[in-house]
């Protein structure tokens, strides 16, 4: 029985949308208390890993007029990651069916076309009754639902403040950059 339990507990933990024990539970803000499969290898990763960082969450798609934003998002991430910014992408097929591929196809596209190095997670639903609980919480806290692909949610270091930006706000948008700088200046 012990052998079976040692096998099943990690198996169920990996398949759930609950945080993994990578960060102490009391150190993780409730908003980041989720785990998702990574895009490239589908291994679970806890968003608690980003506790104390400024997090820019983006719902992405490979065949959208805004897809070129991958380039700017990657440059933004490269420029500010050492100061505490992390960009995280969540592919979705919710808008115009512009992300029809498998996780592997999406990962290859992002890496080969745009050189994406920022964390990307497996494809999810971000709107409606079937919205992923993390996105449902982002919507609740910002009072703004994603209207299209490349909608952005900026989370402060404490995981308490969430600001939404439309798909038309590119990664060099002055207002968004000013808010990123404000959030980065705050101590964790």
């Amino acid at each position: 029985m012990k052998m079976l339990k040692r096998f099943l507990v990690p198996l169920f933990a990996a398949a759930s949308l609950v945080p993994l024990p990578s960060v102490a539970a009391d150190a993780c803000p409730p908003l980041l208390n989720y785990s998702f499969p990574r895009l490239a290898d589908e291994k679970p990763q806890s968003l608690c890993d980003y506790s104390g960082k400024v997090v820019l969450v983006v719902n992405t798609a490979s065949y959208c007029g805004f897809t070129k934003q991958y380039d700017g998002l990657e440059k933004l991430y490269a420029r500010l990651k050492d100061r505490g910014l992390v960009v995280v992408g969540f592919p979705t097929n919710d808008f115009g069916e512009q992300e029809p591929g498998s996780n592997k196809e999406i990962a290859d596209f992002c890496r080969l076309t745009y050189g994406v190095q920022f964390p990307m997670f497996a494809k999810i639903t971000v709107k409606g009754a079937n919205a992923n609980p993390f996105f449902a919480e982002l919507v609740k806290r910002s009072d703004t639902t994603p209207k299209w692909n490349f909608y952005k949610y900026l989370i402060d270091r404490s995981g308490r403040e969430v600001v939404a930006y439309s798909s038309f706000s590119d990664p060099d948008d002055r207002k968004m950059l000013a808010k990123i700088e404000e959030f980065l200046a705050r101590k964790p």
Side-chain angles (χ1 to χ4, degrees), residues 63-160:
Y63 301 101
C64 176
F66 295 110
T67 302
K68 63 184 178 190
Q69 287 188 20
Y70 271 129
D71 185 53
L73 290 167
E74 180 57 34
K75 288 176 181 171
L76 179 66
Y77 173 65
R79 188 172 73 239
L80 297 176
K81 68 181 178 181
D82 291 340
R83 292 183 49 212
L85 176 73
V86 64
V87 176
V88 293
F90 286 89
T92 183
N93 200 37
D94 290 354
F95 303 100
E97 297 182 359
Q98 296 179 343
E99 190 60 276
S102 69
N103 287 328
K104 181 181 178 350
E105 291 168 331
I106 298 165
D108 289 346
F109 173 81
C110 291
R111 183 178 43 82
L112 297 172
T113 309
Y114 291 99
V116 170
Q117 298 292 315
F118 60 82
M120 293 282 295
F121 293 92
K123 189 163 49 170
I124 63 170
T125 298
V126 300
K127 69 173 190 159
N130 295 325
N132 176 281
F134 175 58
F135 267 82
E137 188 63 25
L138 291 172
V139 167
K140 180 180 169 186
R141 290 185 185 215
S142 68
D143 199 28
T144 307
T145 59
K147 312 288 188 277
W148 200 253
N149 302 309
F150 288 87
Y151 212 80
K152 299 158 195 76
Y153 293 93
L154 184 64
I155 305 168
D156 75 342
R157 289 183 186 271
S158 71
R160 288 189 208 111

Side-chain angles (χ1 to χ4, degrees), residues 4-82:
L4 182 59
K5 188 175 180 182
R6 280 197 317 220
F7 172 75
L8 289 178
V9 170
L11 180 65
F12 287 118
S16 68
L17 287 177
V18 296
L20 299 176
S22 58
V23 173
D26 59 339
C28 183
L31 180 58
L32 299 180
N33 203 8
Y34 296 94
S35 181
F36 296 98
R38 295 184 304 218
L39 183 62
D41 60 14
E42 297 189 3
K43 290 183 181 176
Q45 180 176 343
S46 175
L47 295 183
C48 289
D49 291 343
Y50 308 126
S51 292
K53 295 188 179 290
V54 174
V55 182
L56 181 63
V57 179
V58 185
N59 64 292
T60 64
S62 299
Y63 301 101
C64 176
F66 295 110
T67 302
K68 63 184 178 190
Q69 287 188 20
Y70 271 129
D71 185 53
L73 290 167
E74 180 57 34
K75 288 176 181 171
L76 179 66
Y77 173 65
R79 188 172 73 239
L80 297 176
K81 68 181 178 181
D82 291 340

